[in-house]
Amino acid sequence: MSSRNYTDVIIAGKVYTLGGYESEEYLQKVAGYLNGKINELKSVDGFLRQTPDYQNVLIQLNVADDYFKAAAQADEIREQLEAQEKELYSLKHQLVMTQLKLEEMQKEAGVSKDQEEETKKQ
């Protein structure tokens, strides 16, 4: 297991020391995301007139909203992937069945593999 990393970050103008097993770059990215969300909300009319506690709740709600939207998108992508994998499996099955039928028909017609390869070369 990796060692625990610690790094100083600035969130909303204050320095915090974050620790975790993630890289320093990742921890900075998380802090940058929070700063972006805070700045986004500060640009909304009336946000700064709210109490600090209410501002914090609004920030938390917005982060939770982003999380649930991303989770729903990930679920949708997962479902699409599963559907595509099922379709691919079905297509592969059809291909194998078609190849078997072709071979059977070639046997019935008396065409050998050697004749087939000679035809492909020409």
Side-chain angles (χ1 to χ4, degrees), residues 87-99:
E87 183 179 358
L88 180 60
Y89 176 81
S90 175
L91 290 171
K92 285 180 179 179
H93 178 73
Q94 288 177 10
L95 177 61
V96 168
M97 295 306 294
T98 303
Q99 287 174 333

Side-chain angles (χ1 to χ4, degrees), residues 13-111:
K14 294 181 183 176
V15 176
Y16 295 92
T17 301
L18 296 183
Y21 294 103
E22 296 83 3
S23 68
E24 181 178 339
E25 293 80 18
Y26 177 80
L27 297 173
Q28 291 290 345
K29 185 177 180 179
V30 170
Y33 169 79
L34 283 176
N35 282 320
K37 189 55 67 176
I38 292 166
N39 290 333
E40 178 184 320
L41 288 170
K42 282 182 177 181
S43 69
V44 173
D45 289 338
F47 177 79
L48 295 175
R49 290 192 297 263
Q50 303 300 321
T51 65
D53 285 343
Y54 194 77
Q55 289 177 9
N56 285 331
V57 169
L58 288 175
I59 293 166
Q60 292 166 6
L61 286 170
N62 275 266
V63 169
D65 179 54
D66 287 351
Y67 167 79
F68 283 111
K69 286 178 180 174
Q73 186 179 24
D75 288 342
E76 185 178 318
I77 291 170
R78 219 174 279 112
E79 288 171 8
Q80 290 173 356
L81 178 62
E82 287 174 9
Q84 289 174 344
E85 286 174 346
K86 285 179 184 177
E87 183 179 358
L88 180 60
Y89 176 81
S90 175
L91 290 171
K92 285 180 179 179
H93 178 73
Q94 288 177 10
L95 177 61
V96 168
M97 295 306 294
T98 303
Q99 287 174 333
L100 291 173
K101 286 180 185 178
L102 175 61
E103 289 176 8
E104 184 64 32
M105 291 172 72
Q106 286 174 339
K107 284 181 186 176
E108 288 175 8
V111 177

